[in-house]
């Protein structure tokens, strides 16, 4: 700033002082403008969640099983008081679990895949499969998956009081599907359920396909501590059960006492001759000690061996 400009400013300031002293009203010095408050920087909206992830989360459902209703129907419940049928399944499951976890007398390939079947309908195979899975669910060192593999006449979901839905057959048809999207988590911590899936006119061919073999291999290897129990069709009623049994490490054959003839049982056993481990359960067998009904059981190991009833 030069001297002339400074002199003019000083003279103006003195003149204003003189005017005020003389009583002349002068406008106040305008207030210095206040700076505007800083504007908030707009934040970008969060990216949308991928739709595929939402669909996967939504399809992984948790279902409630009515345990009281099952107990009334004679089904083992993890929290139910000790019962005779619960004790029987403790005995029945022990060698199956040992084979499944590689702790048996011999190593059993795919020992954690267990199929429950019968010679004819109405012998109690579904009742046995559900009770076996429920009993295994009480174990501390393993979990269990119950698969409704009776693809022609699925019964597991109905007995458990659960609605049918996509499952096993859908995964065989489309190998890109994720199993976790079809598994149903239950209010029993260590039990999951896989429905039979959408019915298909060529169900036998699907179960005999390479895709089914790959699926079962993946199921057997995915979780070493998971035992998978399949409820399959009767051996002499549908060829699906014979195909399914050929993929299993262990086969449980349920025989209704005083109903199924010996020749029928032998005919059924002949269809699974190549299966490595077979367990025969005699359902509704009268026991002399209590005059009640229960299970008799026996085992067979190796190709061609026949279980002997205890």
């Amino acid at each position: 700033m030069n001297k002339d400009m400074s002199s003019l400013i000083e003279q103006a300031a003195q003149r204003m002082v003189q005017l005020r002293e003389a009583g002349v009203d002068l406008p106040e010095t305008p207030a210095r403008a206040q700076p505007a408050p800083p504007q908030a920087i707009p934040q970008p909206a969060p990216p949308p969640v991928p739709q595929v992830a939402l669909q996967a989360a939504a399809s992984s459902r948790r279902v409630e099983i009515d345990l009281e209703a099952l107990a009334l129907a004679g089904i083992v419940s993890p929290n139910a008081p000790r019962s005779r049928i619960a004790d029987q399944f403790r005995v029945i499951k022990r060698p199956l679990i040992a084979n499944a976890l590689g702790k048996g007398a011999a190593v059993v390939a795919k020992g954690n895949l267990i199929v429950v079947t019968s010679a004819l309908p109405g012998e109690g195979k579904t009742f046995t499969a559900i009770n076996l899975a429920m009993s295994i669910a009480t174990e501390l060192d393993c979990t269990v998956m119950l698969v409704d593999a009776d693809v022609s006449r699925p019964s597991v979901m109905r007995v458990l009081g659960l609605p049918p839905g996509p499952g096993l057959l859908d995964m065989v048809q489309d190998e890109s599907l994720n199993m976790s999207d079809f598994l149903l988590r239950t209010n029993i911590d260590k039990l999951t359920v896989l429905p039979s899936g959408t019915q298909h006119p060529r169900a036998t061919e699907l179960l005999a396909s390479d895709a089914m073999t790959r699926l079962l291999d993946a199921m057997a290897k995915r979780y070493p501590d998971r035992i998978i129990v399949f409820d399959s069709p009767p051996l002499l009623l549908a060829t699906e059960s014979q195909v399914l049994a050929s993929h299993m490490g262990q086969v449980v054959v349920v025989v209704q006492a005083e109903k199924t003839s010996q020749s029928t049982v032998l005919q059924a056993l002949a269809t699974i001759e190549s299966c490595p481990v077979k367990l025969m359960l005699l359902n509704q067998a009268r026991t002399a000690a209590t005059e009640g009904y229960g299970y008799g059981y026996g085992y067979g190991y190796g190709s061609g061996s026949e279980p002997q009833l205890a």
Side-chain angles (χ1 to χ4, degrees):
M1 183 181 298
N2 58 34
K3 293 181 178 181
D4 292 340
M5 182 62 69
S6 295
S7 177
L8 290 173
I9 294 174
E10 290 174 358
Q11 291 175 11
Q14 291 174 0
R15 180 61 178 163
M16 291 179 66
V17 171
Q18 292 172 357
L19 290 173
R20 284 196 179 96
E21 290 176 352
V24 178
D25 291 332
L26 295 175
E28 294 293 333
T29 305
R32 181 175 299 175
Q34 297 297 322
Q39 298 293 324
I41 301 175
Q43 298 295 323
V49 179
Q51 188 66 22
V52 173
L54 284 176
Q55 291 174 349
S59 60
S60 182
R61 293 188 296 138
R62 186 178 188 275
V63 295
E64 292 286 327
I65 297 175
D66 189 341
L67 300 180
E68 292 184 2
L70 290 187
L72 292 174
I75 302 293
V76 173
S77 175
N79 299 324
R82 187 164 184 170
S83 64
R84 183 164 173 267
I85 191 169
D87 288 342
Q88 289 177 330
F89 272 94
R90 287 189 178 98
V91 176
I92 292 168
K93 72 179 177 180
R94 193 55 54 201
L96 296 171
I97 293 175
N99 288 333
L101 301 181
K103 299 178 181 179
V107 176
V108 178
K110 298 181 183 177
N112 60 337
L113 301 184
I114 303 172
V115 65
V116 180
T117 186
S118 60
L120 300 171
E123 299 196 70
K125 66 175 183 60
T126 300
F127 178 84
T128 301
I130 294 175
N131 269 316
L132 179 60
M134 288 286 191
S135 185
I136 294 174
T138 64
E139 295 289 314
L140 300 179
D141 300 324
C142 59
T143 61
V144 60
M145 180 199 303
L146 176 60
V147 181
D148 193 349
D150 191 345
V151 293
S152 299
R153 299 177 60 187
S155 302
V156 169
M157 306 301 287
R158 175 179 53 80
V159 174
L160 295 179
L162 301 176
L168 179 64
L169 287 180
D170 300 273
M171 289 189 293
V172 177
Q173 292 182 74
D174 185 353
E175 295 185 70
S176 67
L177 297 176
N178 192 335
M179 185 189 304
S180 61
D181 293 339
F182 300 98
L183 278 178
L184 302 179
R185 295 177 293 112
T186 72
N187 50 321
I188 300 172
D189 290 339
K190 295 191 174 185
L191 172 69
T192 55
V193 180
L194 181 65
S196 61
T198 307
Q199 292 195 1
H200 195 281
R202 295 191 302 277
T204 301
E205 287 76 14
L206 286 174
L207 294 184
S209 67
D210 291 341
M212 182 65 177
T213 301
R214 289 189 292 269
L215 175 61
L216 293 175
D217 285 343
M219 293 171 74
K221 297 174 183 176
R222 186 170 184 177
Y223 301 106
D225 63 341
R226 174 181 283 176
I227 297 175
I228 307 175
V229 177
F230 296 80
D231 177 38
S232 86
L235 289 167
L236 301 182
L237 186 67
T239 55
E240 291 97 324
S241 58
Q242 300 171 26
V243 174
L244 191 62
S246 67
H247 295 296
M248 299 291 117
Q250 304 186 79
V251 180
V252 177
V253 182
V254 181
V255 179
Q256 185 171 350
E258 301 179 6
K259 176 184 176 182
T260 310
S261 67
Q262 183 178 8
S263 60
T264 300
V265 174
L266 293 176
Q267 183 183 356
L269 291 175
T271 66
I272 55 171
E273 186 176 0
S274 62
C275 296
V277 177
K278 296 180 281 291
L279 166 64
M280 184 183 295
L281 294 182
L282 189 61
N283 187 22
Q284 298 183 357
R286 183 177 294 275
T287 57
T290 62
E291 289 302 317
Y293 291 91
Y295 282 93
Y297 36 85
Y299 304 91
Y301 293 88
S303 178
S305 61
E306 294 180 1
Q308 298 299 314
L309 290 178

